[in-house]
Amino acid sequence: MSVTYTLVKECPVTGARAGILHTPHGDVPTPVFMPVGTQATVKTMSPEELKEIGAHIILSNTYHLYLRPGHDIVRDAGGLHQFMNWDRAILTDSGGFQVFSLGALRKIREEGVTFRSHIDGSQHFLSPEKAVEIQEALGSDIAMAFDECAPYPAERTYIQDSLLRTTRWAERCLWAQTRSDQAIFGIVQGGMYPDLRKESAKQLVSLDFPGYAIGGLSVGEPAPLMYEMLEATVPLLPTTKPRYLMGVGTTDYLIEGVKRGIDMFDCVLPTRIARNGTVMTRTGYITVRNAPYARDYGPLEEGCNCYTCRNYSRAYVRHLIKTNEVFGLRLTSYHNLYMLVHFMARIRESILDETFPDVYNEFIARIGQEKEE
């Protein structure tokens, strides 16, 4: 079995979708936020805790696992699921974003990309075929095609050449595929040019991938520009296949993405800011390590039912963070991931019960009020 998608309900007002992603390791209700387990672990979280918060799918990183411990080691351990003791779905990125973010440490040519490891400076070569080989060894349920993630801003001529190369590389990924139990998703590029986004989408749809991601967004552009690119792209993607917006993990981006027909999201943000003592709430952020919370004995967020909020106060979590206790990082990470997973579950419920426009409008009004205060 590979990966398929069932559209359960679509909001008649906005086009927001509730669906089910069927994978070899279980069904995933969508829309969904995927916690990021870069190096075969979601930082500070155990697989059991991820299940407690309701995670059905996580993301792991091809580039990092290729460098350490090596995809051959993961393969010989029985694949990523067995290696990290996670029996639910896994998506692996292609390594493209990480390689292209290396800047001067990499060189692009048609065959692929030569780059130097950020760890020890050793030279490596990553091509579409190699990216597929690595991800097949990892054994994820969903593998991403190797693409070129262009920088922002970038000239139109560069973006045009880049998206054409991404299409050629996407086709080579399909040719290289040997596993029938792993789905490869194509990645739409095109920078911040609506017509190029549309062209990239049309080219990739013609290759008939089982799912489509939208890459090269949330890379520093203003939010309205990202939404404009989504509105140019999403209508061209098949309604019968999942749509994945890469690298997005704030509540406003999530709900705006859902409104525009996106099914899947991922981001390192919730665990990254958690390690700095910042927690996410439905309406914004709280930097709990700051002095005002030293005698605040309330939960991180009123009304939150996560393990952290049920058992510990802001004052205690602040104490742990200030004294560099690892447990503090675990508590903030748990809360942030729980909040996003359940935020998405609530959005899904609203699509199913036809109240999504109300939920969206209430959210936007609440965010606006928070900003004014």
Side-chain angles (χ1 to χ4, degrees), residues 63 66 78 88 204 243 255 266 309 314 343:
Y63 167 84
Y66 161 70
R88 297 185 180 181
L204 291 172
R243 304 158 175 173
I255 200 167
D266 83 283
C309 290
R314 293 174 176 179
F343 180 75

Coordinates of all heavy atoms in Angstrom, one line a residue, residues 63 66 78 88 204 243 255 266 309 314 343:
Y63 N 18.6 15.1 5.0 CA 20.0 15.6 5.0 C 20.7 15.2 6.3 O 21.8 14.7 6.3 CB 19.9 17.1 4.8 CG 21.2 17.8 5.1 CD1 22.2 18.0 4.2 CD2 21.4 18.4 6.4 CE1 23.4 18.7 4.5 CE2 22.6 19.1 6.7 CZ 23.6 19.2 5.7 OH 24.7 19.9 6.0
Y66 N 21.2 11.4 6.7 CA 22.2 10.9 5.7 C 23.6 11.2 6.3 O 24.5 10.3 6.2 CB 22.1 11.7 4.4 CG 23.3 11.7 3.5 CD1 23.7 10.5 2.9 CD2 24.0 12.8 3.3 CE1 24.8 10.5 2.0 CE2 25.1 12.8 2.5 CZ 25.5 11.6 1.9 OH 26.6 11.6 1.1
G78 N 16.1 -1.7 10.4 CA 14.8 -2.0 10.1 C 13.9 -0.9 9.5 O 12.7 -1.0 9.4
R88 N 3.6 5.0 13.8 CA 2.6 5.8 13.0 C 3.3 6.4 11.8 O 4.5 6.1 11.5 CB 2.0 6.9 13.9 CG 1.1 6.3 15.0 CD 0.4 7.3 15.8 NE -0.4 6.7 16.9 CZ -1.2 7.3 17.7 NH1 -1.3 8.7 17.6 NH2 -1.9 6.7 18.6
L204 N 4.0 19.9 -12.6 CA 4.1 18.8 -11.6 C 2.8 17.9 -11.6 O 2.9 16.7 -11.5 CB 4.3 19.3 -10.2 CG 5.8 19.9 -10.0 CD1 5.9 20.6 -8.7 CD2 6.8 18.8 -10.1
R243 N -2.5 18.2 -0.1 CA -1.8 19.4 -0.3 C -1.0 19.8 0.9 O -1.6 19.9 2.0 CB -2.7 20.5 -0.7 CG -3.6 20.2 -1.9 CD -4.9 21.1 -1.9 NE -5.7 20.9 -3.0 CZ -6.9 21.5 -3.1 NH1 -7.4 22.3 -2.1 NH2 -7.7 21.3 -4.2
I255 N -4.3 28.5 10.1 CA -5.7 28.7 9.8 C -5.9 29.4 8.4 O -6.8 29.1 7.7 CB -6.4 29.5 10.9 CG1 -7.9 29.2 10.8 CG2 -6.1 31.0 10.9 CD1 -8.7 29.7 12.0
D266 N 4.1 21.6 8.5 CA 5.1 21.2 9.4 C 6.0 22.5 9.8 O 6.0 23.4 9.0 CB 6.0 20.2 8.8 CG 7.1 20.8 7.9 OD1 6.8 21.2 6.8 OD2 8.2 20.9 8.4
C309 N 0.0 22.0 31.5 CA -0.9 23.0 32.1 C -1.8 22.4 33.2 O -2.2 23.1 34.1 CB -1.8 23.6 31.0 SG -1.0 24.7 29.8
R314 N 3.3 28.6 35.6 CA 4.3 29.4 34.9 C 5.5 29.6 35.8 O 6.6 29.6 35.3 CB 3.6 30.7 34.5 CG 2.5 30.6 33.5 CD 1.8 31.9 33.2 NE 0.8 31.9 32.2 CZ 0.1 32.9 31.8 NH1 0.2 34.1 32.4 NH2 -0.8 32.8 30.8
F343 N -5.2 22.6 18.1 CA -5.7 23.7 17.3 C -6.2 23.2 15.9 O -7.3 23.5 15.4 CB -4.6 24.7 17.1 CG -5.0 25.9 16.3 CD1 -5.8 26.9 16.8 CD2 -4.5 26.1 15.0 CE1 -6.1 28.0 16.1 CE2 -4.8 27.2 14.3 CZ -5.6 28.2 14.8

